[in-house]
Amino acid sequence: AQSVTQLGSHVSVSEGALVLLRCNYSSSVPPYLFWYVQYPNQGLQLLLKYTSAATLVKGINGFEAEFKKSETSFHLTKPSAHMSDAAEYFCAVSEDTGRRALTFGSGTRLQVQP
Amino acid sequence: NAGVTQTPKFQVLKTGQSMTLQCAQDMNHNSMYWYRQDPGMGLRLIYYSASEGTTDKGEVPNGYNVSRLNKREFSLRLESAAPSQTSVYFCASTAEYSNQPQHFGDGTRLSIL
């Protein structure tokens, strides 16, 4: 069975500071990994995905994530936080089976202080 | 493009009432999903449909039924609502392969009193 652990349910950074949101996964096969962002009262929007083509993945809004197999990690980073980045972020792993359902982490709420 | 459309957006029910949540996608995707989102628990899979006429249980199917009548639409039914089913429900769809992202609707916020 696959699983995802997001360390830190709440992260607070100052505007302009580095954003680091942590994600560790467990999978018996090479995983497909995703980061989604959820703004208040909205659905989930894809930020980026890892599908084995490159270990450093660039996404929308200046976010990127690095796949580290040895650490089973897929941490999300952004060099400089903006007020508009305040949202909840979910890491997810995809089953490599016919069902292709996503297993989600519990989410990290990012606050950006002025 | 509309993507994934869910109706209604909000609903309040009394315990024991029934209702159907509707979902439609216009991306010609075969696979569709229903998730529920609860605080501190991320999203959990309720049911899945690989194609028209086929459905499969997910992680938390108890108390729910689904129907996939055609390629576009995938509905979720609560036959006898319980307070434990108060949640935000998301429908999603995806193309054939597991490396493709799922596309989500905006959710249905359901409260059961």
Side-chain angles (χ1 to χ4, degrees), chain A:
Chain A
Q2 301 180 137
S3 66
V4 175
T5 302
Q6 290 184 242
L7 295 176
S9 58
H10 290 82
V11 170
S12 183
V13 300
S14 299
E15 191 173 19
L18 172 71
V19 175
L20 171 60
L21 304 182
R22 300 179 185 276
C23 171
N24 289 89
Y25 70 91
S26 171
S27 175
S28 59
V29 296
Y32 299 118
L33 295 160
F34 305 85
W35 275 99
Y36 284 86
V37 59
Q38 184 181 33
Y39 298 102
N41 298 316
Q42 294 187 24
L44 277 71
Q45 179 183 359
L46 180 70
L47 271 179
L48 50 80
K49 66 177 183 179
Y50 167 76
T51 58
S52 75
T55 56
L56 183 62
V57 181
K58 295 187 183 298
I60 62 171
N61 301 338
F63 284 93
E64 63 182 35
E66 185 173 9
F67 173 72
K68 291 187 177 181
K69 184 178 179 180
S70 61
E71 298 177 9
T72 60
S73 68
F74 190 55
H75 300 331
L76 182 70
T77 61
K78 182 174 181 178
S80 177
H82 191 272
M83 296 296 290
S84 61
D85 295 327
E88 189 153 22
Y89 293 79
F90 292 95
C91 182
V93 60
S94 175
E95 298 177 350
D96 192 19
T97 66
R99 195 166 72 173
R100 295 184 296 278
L102 289 170
T103 300
F104 285 87
S106 56
T108 297
R109 184 167 298 279
L110 176 66
Q111 292 182 314
V112 182
Q113 307 291 340

Side-chain angles (χ1 to χ4, degrees), chain B residues 78-90:
Chain B
L78 285 70
E79 292 290 353
S80 179
S84 61
Q85 295 178 304
T86 293
S87 188
V88 182
Y89 292 86
F90 287 100

